[in-house]
Amino acid sequence: MGLIVALDPPEGVDGVEWCLKLVRELGDVPSGYKLGLPLALDAGVEGLRRVSEAVPPGKLLIADLKLADIGYVMSLTAKKLARAGVNALIAHAFVGVKGALDELVSTCSNLGIKLVLVALMSHPGATRFMASAYGEALRVVKEVGAWGAVLPATKPEAVREGRKLLGESVKILSPGIGAQGAEPGTALRAGADYEIVGRLVTRASNPRAVAEGLVRVYERVLGRR
Amino acid sequence: MGLIVALDPPEGVDGVEWCLKLVRELGDVPSGYKLGLPLALDAGVEGLRRVSEAVPPGKLLIADLKLADIGYVMSLTAKKLARAGVNALIAHAFVGVKGALDELVSTCSNLGIKLVLVALMSHPGATRFMASAYGEALRVVKEVGAWGAVLPATKPEAVREGRKLLGESVKILSPGIGAQGAEPGTALRAGADYEIVGRLVTRASNPRAVAEGLVRVYERVLGRR
């Protein structure tokens, strides 16, 4: 409950095989898995399809390509990703609605794919454009009826603000746990629905035990809310 | 001179074969070629490599994945793209510098890959975030020393403003010719170095003749500047 594992293969390994091994080991312990662009480039649609077939039914499989293009290109990409077997994808709120997210929303809805929008990121450079546009980005999330929003676990006040503005119906997914500095549970306590955890799980000597430990923490946190 | 052909395969064809046919036909008529994310997903690094091997030496081969992530992920992506044989890539200025473009700039420089930053897009939704941040995005382009900037041919005043702010050393690449509404030559007259043309060339019954015609127009325009 509450755990999404980011499958980011280290350099120099066969990315698909690395993912398959982890998905088989973690099974249905996490609520879902997230795949990134470097893997997608190595694997292509065919390789991603092999990973998606190993993910237990009912679990999220999120393609995190941080789409930020015109509607036509994002929609075409969404169709390829659907063919690869993912059931959710991440795009940027800042590309705006008309001629961009409006088309993607409708394509995702036709494909039965959940749309998740990045409203804020946590690297220092994000203060330059994204931080000042944060309120407007949250309004875009609501306006297009996105299934979820990405808000950084390293900025719990932003997660709290996001929850207030988005209401209860939009899922909040928060990366930044572990290697990027936030303690497990930080984002959930601030109102997020899922914490996205990468290396802390995937590079552990016993990934399943670490994932189970996180899920126990998350159940306690969510039980208290 | 001045022509970059966007290789965006139509749905339902083998994207790599479609690109190879066009590249062989167009050869060294254009100054370069641009590949997008839908093709990259279908083809993977191996498929892109086949396309890159067909591109004549000295020509641009631009991966337009509109990268918009943290530095680590964009750098990892750049390394995969270098392996695929591209010599330029497009990222978004709005992700900011620290922890994002600073790392990508240094990776691209190590790989010998040209970095091109999107400073403005032309779809209607771009007014919501990108239009008001345009000046700041141009400053990011200069600050990180990007090789080029993407500015829309459909907004020639923005191209003019961009040229003024960026000076002569930064290349300006302008999409939006043809299917998206701008007449060939519009962006070059406003100060761009390259116009990115897709369907107008690739869906023509004689793509090479159309490309040669465009190059003649561009030589005239550039000769007059």
Side-chain angles (χ1 to χ4, degrees), chain B residues 180-202:
Chain B
Q180 284 173 68
E183 285 294 316
T186 314
L188 290 196
R189 264 188 291 273
D193 297 282
Y194 300 100
E195 292 190 356
I196 300 169
V197 186
R199 283 165 274 180
L200 187 66
V201 170
T202 63

PDB file of all heavy atoms in Angstrom, chain B residues 180-202:
ATOM      1  N   GLN B 180       1.655  22.978 -39.967  1.00  0.00           N
ATOM      2  CA  GLN B 180       1.296  23.774 -38.782  1.00  0.00           C
ATOM      3  C   GLN B 180       1.042  25.249 -39.105  1.00  0.00           C
ATOM      4  O   GLN B 180       0.773  26.048 -38.218  1.00  0.00           O
ATOM      5  CB  GLN B 180       2.367  23.657 -37.707  1.00  0.00           C
ATOM      6  CG  GLN B 180       2.305  22.316 -36.956  1.00  0.00           C
ATOM      7  CD  GLN B 180       3.485  22.150 -36.004  1.00  0.00           C
ATOM      8  OE1 GLN B 180       3.602  22.841 -35.010  1.00  0.00           O
ATOM      9  NE2 GLN B 180       4.368  21.237 -36.330  1.00  0.00           N
ATOM     10  N   GLY B 181       1.184  25.617 -40.379  1.00  0.00           N
ATOM     11  CA  GLY B 181       0.662  26.926 -40.751  1.00  0.00           C
ATOM     12  C   GLY B 181       1.614  27.981 -41.285  1.00  0.00           C
ATOM     13  O   GLY B 181       1.180  28.909 -41.955  1.00  0.00           O
ATOM     14  N   ALA B 182       2.917  27.896 -40.972  1.00  0.00           N
ATOM     15  CA  ALA B 182       3.816  28.966 -41.413  1.00  0.00           C
ATOM     16  C   ALA B 182       4.339  28.685 -42.828  1.00  0.00           C
ATOM     17  O   ALA B 182       4.606  27.540 -43.193  1.00  0.00           O
ATOM     18  CB  ALA B 182       4.982  29.121 -40.446  1.00  0.00           C
ATOM     19  N   GLU B 183       4.466  29.730 -43.633  1.00  0.00           N
ATOM     20  CA  GLU B 183       5.024  29.623 -44.988  1.00  0.00           C
ATOM     21  C   GLU B 183       6.526  29.357 -44.918  1.00  0.00           C
ATOM     22  O   GLU B 183       7.209  29.942 -44.072  1.00  0.00           O
ATOM     23  CB  GLU B 183       4.823  30.952 -45.727  1.00  0.00           C
ATOM     24  CG  GLU B 183       3.412  31.219 -46.192  1.00  0.00           C
ATOM     25  CD  GLU B 183       2.977  30.227 -47.263  1.00  0.00           C
ATOM     26  OE1 GLU B 183       3.785  29.956 -48.180  1.00  0.00           O
ATOM     27  OE2 GLU B 183       1.858  29.703 -47.160  1.00  0.00           O
ATOM     28  N   PRO B 184       7.058  28.537 -45.822  1.00  0.00           N
ATOM     29  CA  PRO B 184       8.510  28.339 -45.872  1.00  0.00           C
ATOM     30  C   PRO B 184       9.233  29.682 -46.002  1.00  0.00           C
ATOM     31  O   PRO B 184       8.839  30.515 -46.816  1.00  0.00           O
ATOM     32  CB  PRO B 184       8.706  27.482 -47.130  1.00  0.00           C
ATOM     33  CG  PRO B 184       7.419  26.737 -47.280  1.00  0.00           C
ATOM     34  CD  PRO B 184       6.360  27.678 -46.798  1.00  0.00           C
ATOM     35  N   GLY B 185      10.257  29.877 -45.206  1.00  0.00           N
ATOM     36  CA  GLY B 185      11.033  31.120 -45.242  1.00  0.00           C
ATOM     37  C   GLY B 185      10.672  32.098 -44.128  1.00  0.00           C
ATOM     38  O   GLY B 185      11.456  32.993 -43.804  1.00  0.00           O
ATOM     39  N   THR B 186       9.465  31.913 -43.530  1.00  0.00           N
ATOM     40  CA  THR B 186       9.001  32.837 -42.485  1.00  0.00           C
ATOM     41  C   THR B 186      10.004  32.978 -41.345  1.00  0.00           C
ATOM     42  O   THR B 186      10.339  34.097 -40.924  1.00  0.00           O
ATOM     43  CB  THR B 186       7.680  32.320 -41.858  1.00  0.00           C
ATOM     44  OG1 THR B 186       6.801  31.912 -42.904  1.00  0.00           O
ATOM     45  CG2 THR B 186       7.024  33.380 -41.001  1.00  0.00           C
ATOM     46  N   ALA B 187      10.466  31.844 -40.832  1.00  0.00           N
ATOM     47  CA  ALA B 187      11.353  31.882 -39.662  1.00  0.00           C
ATOM     48  C   ALA B 187      12.749  32.366 -40.048  1.00  0.00           C
ATOM     49  O   ALA B 187      13.365  33.148 -39.325  1.00  0.00           O
ATOM     50  CB  ALA B 187      11.431  30.503 -39.017  1.00  0.00           C
ATOM     51  N   LEU B 188      13.235  31.926 -41.210  1.00  0.00           N
ATOM     52  CA  LEU B 188      14.574  32.364 -41.649  1.00  0.00           C
ATOM     53  C   LEU B 188      14.593  33.878 -41.832  1.00  0.00           C
ATOM     54  O   LEU B 188      15.541  34.548 -41.435  1.00  0.00           O
ATOM     55  CB  LEU B 188      14.979  31.668 -42.948  1.00  0.00           C
ATOM     56  CG  LEU B 188      15.286  30.169 -42.893  1.00  0.00           C
ATOM     57  CD1 LEU B 188      16.047  29.738 -44.147  1.00  0.00           C
ATOM     58  CD2 LEU B 188      16.084  29.780 -41.658  1.00  0.00           C
ATOM     59  N   ARG B 189      13.529  34.419 -42.436  1.00  0.00           N
ATOM     60  CA  ARG B 189      13.469  35.873 -42.612  1.00  0.00           C
ATOM     61  C   ARG B 189      13.489  36.594 -41.266  1.00  0.00           C
ATOM     62  O   ARG B 189      13.985  37.704 -41.148  1.00  0.00           O
ATOM     63  CB  ARG B 189      12.206  36.272 -43.386  1.00  0.00           C
ATOM     64  CG  ARG B 189      12.463  36.458 -44.880  1.00  0.00           C
ATOM     65  CD  ARG B 189      11.241  37.034 -45.585  1.00  0.00           C
ATOM     66  NE  ARG B 189      10.157  36.061 -45.624  1.00  0.00           N
ATOM     67  CZ  ARG B 189      10.008  35.146 -46.581  1.00  0.00           C
ATOM     68  NH1 ARG B 189      10.847  35.091 -47.596  1.00  0.00           N
ATOM     69  NH2 ARG B 189       9.021  34.279 -46.526  1.00  0.00           N
ATOM     70  N   ALA B 190      12.922  35.951 -40.226  1.00  0.00           N
ATOM     71  CA  ALA B 190      12.872  36.574 -38.904  1.00  0.00           C
ATOM     72  C   ALA B 190      14.160  36.358 -38.114  1.00  0.00           C
ATOM     73  O   ALA B 190      14.273  36.805 -36.970  1.00  0.00           O
ATOM     74  CB  ALA B 190      11.669  36.042 -38.125  1.00  0.00           C
ATOM     75  N   GLY B 191      15.127  35.604 -38.706  1.00  0.00           N
ATOM     76  CA  GLY B 191      16.407  35.459 -38.033  1.00  0.00           C
ATOM     77  C   GLY B 191      16.796  34.037 -37.652  1.00  0.00           C
ATOM     78  O   GLY B 191      17.854  33.819 -37.070  1.00  0.00           O
ATOM     79  N   ALA B 192      15.931  33.043 -37.977  1.00  0.00           N
ATOM     80  CA  ALA B 192      16.274  31.659 -37.646  1.00  0.00           C
ATOM     81  C   ALA B 192      17.366  31.133 -38.576  1.00  0.00           C
ATOM     82  O   ALA B 192      17.592  31.686 -39.661  1.00  0.00           O
ATOM     83  CB  ALA B 192      15.032  30.771 -37.759  1.00  0.00           C
ATOM     84  N   ASP B 193      18.052  30.063 -38.157  1.00  0.00           N
ATOM     85  CA  ASP B 193      19.080  29.423 -38.974  1.00  0.00           C
ATOM     86  C   ASP B 193      18.546  28.220 -39.739  1.00  0.00           C
ATOM     87  O   ASP B 193      19.064  27.861 -40.790  1.00  0.00           O
ATOM     88  CB  ASP B 193      20.241  28.962 -38.080  1.00  0.00           C
ATOM     89  CG  ASP B 193      20.908  30.127 -37.399  1.00  0.00           C
ATOM     90  OD1 ASP B 193      21.700  30.815 -38.054  1.00  0.00           O
ATOM     91  OD2 ASP B 193      20.595  30.390 -36.216  1.00  0.00           O
ATOM     92  N   TYR B 194      17.564  27.555 -39.131  1.00  0.00           N
ATOM     93  CA  TYR B 194      17.006  26.347 -39.741  1.00  0.00           C
ATOM     94  C   TYR B 194      15.484  26.361 -39.609  1.00  0.00           C
ATOM     95  O   TYR B 194      14.959  26.802 -38.583  1.00  0.00           O
ATOM     96  CB  TYR B 194      17.518  25.087 -39.038  1.00  0.00           C
ATOM     97  CG  TYR B 194      19.021  24.918 -39.064  1.00  0.00           C
ATOM     98  CD1 TYR B 194      19.795  25.267 -37.962  1.00  0.00           C
ATOM     99  CD2 TYR B 194      19.659  24.382 -40.185  1.00  0.00           C
ATOM    100  CE1 TYR B 194      21.178  25.103 -37.982  1.00  0.00           C
ATOM    101  CE2 TYR B 194      21.039  24.212 -40.208  1.00  0.00           C
ATOM    102  CZ  TYR B 194      21.792  24.577 -39.105  1.00  0.00           C
ATOM    103  OH  TYR B 194      23.153  24.409 -39.111  1.00  0.00           O
ATOM    104  N   GLU B 195      14.809  25.863 -40.627  1.00  0.00           N
ATOM    105  CA  GLU B 195      13.375  25.585 -40.490  1.00  0.00           C
ATOM    106  C   GLU B 195      13.198  24.075 -40.480  1.00  0.00           C
ATOM    107  O   GLU B 195      13.790  23.360 -41.290  1.00  0.00           O
ATOM    108  CB  GLU B 195      12.589  26.238 -41.639  1.00  0.00           C
ATOM    109  CG  GLU B 195      12.618  27.764 -41.535  1.00  0.00           C
ATOM    110  CD  GLU B 195      11.658  28.473 -42.508  1.00  0.00           C
ATOM    111  OE1 GLU B 195      11.012  27.791 -43.332  1.00  0.00           O
ATOM    112  OE2 GLU B 195      11.566  29.716 -42.425  1.00  0.00           O
ATOM    113  N   ILE B 196      12.407  23.611 -39.525  1.00  0.00           N
ATOM    114  CA  ILE B 196      12.158  22.172 -39.393  1.00  0.00           C
ATOM    115  C   ILE B 196      10.854  21.863 -40.115  1.00  0.00           C
ATOM    116  O   ILE B 196       9.798  22.394 -39.762  1.00  0.00           O
ATOM    117  CB  ILE B 196      12.056  21.772 -37.907  1.00  0.00           C
ATOM    118  CG1 ILE B 196      13.373  22.115 -37.192  1.00  0.00           C
ATOM    119  CG2 ILE B 196      11.720  20.294 -37.764  1.00  0.00           C
ATOM    120  CD1 ILE B 196      13.297  22.010 -35.671  1.00  0.00           C
ATOM    121  N   VAL B 197      10.934  21.043 -41.149  1.00  0.00           N
ATOM    122  CA  VAL B 197       9.765  20.759 -41.981  1.00  0.00           C
ATOM    123  C   VAL B 197       9.481  19.260 -41.963  1.00  0.00           C
ATOM    124  O   VAL B 197      10.399  18.456 -42.172  1.00  0.00           O
ATOM    125  CB  VAL B 197      10.005  21.221 -43.436  1.00  0.00           C
ATOM    126  CG1 VAL B 197       8.739  21.056 -44.260  1.00  0.00           C
ATOM    127  CG2 VAL B 197      10.473  22.675 -43.471  1.00  0.00           C
ATOM    128  N   GLY B 198       8.241  18.906 -41.701  1.00  0.00           N
ATOM    129  CA  GLY B 198       7.879  17.499 -41.643  1.00  0.00           C
ATOM    130  C   GLY B 198       7.074  17.064 -42.853  1.00  0.00           C
ATOM    131  O   GLY B 198       7.616  16.894 -43.952  1.00  0.00           O
ATOM    132  N   ARG B 199       5.749  16.952 -42.628  1.00  0.00           N
ATOM    133  CA  ARG B 199       4.863  16.360 -43.638  1.00  0.00           C
ATOM    134  C   ARG B 199       4.983  16.994 -45.020  1.00  0.00           C
ATOM    135  O   ARG B 199       4.864  16.300 -46.020  1.00  0.00           O
ATOM    136  CB  ARG B 199       3.411  16.452 -43.148  1.00  0.00           C
ATOM    137  CG  ARG B 199       3.102  15.402 -42.083  1.00  0.00           C
ATOM    138  CD  ARG B 199       1.813  15.699 -41.320  1.00  0.00           C
ATOM    139  NE  ARG B 199       2.075  16.593 -40.198  1.00  0.00           N
ATOM    140  CZ  ARG B 199       1.128  17.034 -39.351  1.00  0.00           C
ATOM    141  NH1 ARG B 199      -0.138  16.658 -39.537  1.00  0.00           N
ATOM    142  NH2 ARG B 199       1.433  17.835 -38.354  1.00  0.00           N
ATOM    143  N   LEU B 200       5.190  18.296 -45.081  1.00  0.00           N
ATOM    144  CA  LEU B 200       5.296  18.994 -46.369  1.00  0.00           C
ATOM    145  C   LEU B 200       6.328  18.300 -47.272  1.00  0.00           C
ATOM    146  O   LEU B 200       6.144  18.199 -48.489  1.00  0.00           O
ATOM    147  CB  LEU B 200       5.720  20.450 -46.118  1.00  0.00           C
ATOM    148  CG  LEU B 200       5.725  21.410 -47.308  1.00  0.00           C
ATOM    149  CD1 LEU B 200       4.315  21.645 -47.816  1.00  0.00           C
ATOM    150  CD2 LEU B 200       6.342  22.762 -46.905  1.00  0.00           C
ATOM    151  N   VAL B 201       7.394  17.786 -46.655  1.00  0.00           N
ATOM    152  CA  VAL B 201       8.398  17.039 -47.417  1.00  0.00           C
ATOM    153  C   VAL B 201       8.091  15.549 -47.411  1.00  0.00           C
ATOM    154  O   VAL B 201       8.016  14.906 -48.460  1.00  0.00           O
ATOM    155  CB  VAL B 201       9.824  17.262 -46.825  1.00  0.00           C
ATOM    156  CG1 VAL B 201      10.833  16.303 -47.455  1.00  0.00           C
ATOM    157  CG2 VAL B 201      10.258  18.709 -47.016  1.00  0.00           C
ATOM    158  N   THR B 202       7.869  14.994 -46.199  1.00  0.00           N
ATOM    159  CA  THR B 202       7.854  13.524 -46.084  1.00  0.00           C
ATOM    160  C   THR B 202       6.615  12.887 -46.702  1.00  0.00           C
ATOM    161  O   THR B 202       6.644  11.722 -47.067  1.00  0.00           O
ATOM    162  CB  THR B 202       7.981  13.080 -44.612  1.00  0.00           C
ATOM    163  OG1 THR B 202       6.839  13.556 -43.874  1.00  0.00           O
ATOM    164  CG2 THR B 202       9.245  13.645 -43.978  1.00  0.00           C
TER     165      THR B 202
END
